[in-house]
Amino acid sequence: MRRVAFAAAILALGIAASADDSGRTLTIDHYVRVRSTVPAIAGQEVPIYVRERVLAGAALRGGAGGDRVALFVHGAGTPAEVAFDVPQADYSWMAFLANAGFDVFAMDTTGYGRSFRPAAMNDPCNLAKDRQAPFVKAPCAPSYGHALTTIASDWNDIDAVIDYIRALRRVERVSLLGWSLGGPRAGGYASQHPEKVQKLVLLAPAYTRGGAAAAPAKLPPDGVPMNTQSREEFFANWDRQVGCPARCSRRIRSARRGARASAARRRRRHGASTRPPRRRCRCRR
């Protein structure tokens, strides 16, 4: 009788442990192969980084399914990890949705975060003259004097990731969430592929009122392929958008600083030559 009771207790503990594990939020890294349409590397197959946050139980079942699969698209200033998954309690948008039962993904478009960085981004001479000083001893001429990507190449990256998620989680449609420049990225994509998009959410979508309606006369247009942003510039821009003084938690600021540093370390492992605390983000038209 004791052996039966002991076995039953062990079984109950196992079930409880499984139940606890099923509620744990996982972080899963994916790399999606994309045939690029970025002008400088057109036709090359390159890796696009995708981060997933999902409850362990849902992952074991093959995902949340139905209408609960979502993809975040970042803006011009920060890659996906820094924008949507800051490791601070109640601050990660991805973790919040994952804990609500969603299978949540976020991607870095070409040139951002852990996605492929075209070679032009490794040459500090390709920065604007007034941004070169921290990286070179004297101003130098660019080796690539054009904008790096286009909105169409961003849409191509998104399409490859959407198709990957649809196949991985066996769903027909994926919801899109775009922030800032992620607005025209996600919104433009949804207008072209409504059959693949479940819902569309745009947060403060970027819009240049004075921009030309017509496409540039040539692609890629003349310009710089990337820009830099110091730590001080990053936080000044962030604080400006908060709007209310003394509303920024020091823990959140520290967490975002840590996330940026982590992303910068990963970029350096992928061949970048940036010197902290500045980072590079690529430019597009």
Side-chain angles (χ1 to χ4, degrees), residues 31-75:
Y31 283 91
V32 178
R33 305 297 298 184
V34 176
R35 189 162 299 280
S36 182
T37 58
V38 172
I41 54 172
Q44 294 184 32
E45 192 174 83
V46 300
I48 295 296
Y49 172 69
V50 179
R51 167 173 287 219
E52 180 183 11
R53 299 300 305 273
V54 62
L55 294 178
L60 290 172
R61 293 191 299 271
D67 61 349
R68 302 181 76 79
V69 180
L71 171 66
F72 280 97
V73 181
H74 63 78

Side-chain angles (χ1 to χ4, degrees), residues 109 149-159 185 282 284:
T109 57
T149 63
T150 67
I151 190 68
S153 68
D154 290 341
W155 293 332
N156 182 70
D157 288 351
I158 294 171
D159 191 45
R185 286 170 176 159
R282 50 85 172 156
R284 63 93 186 157

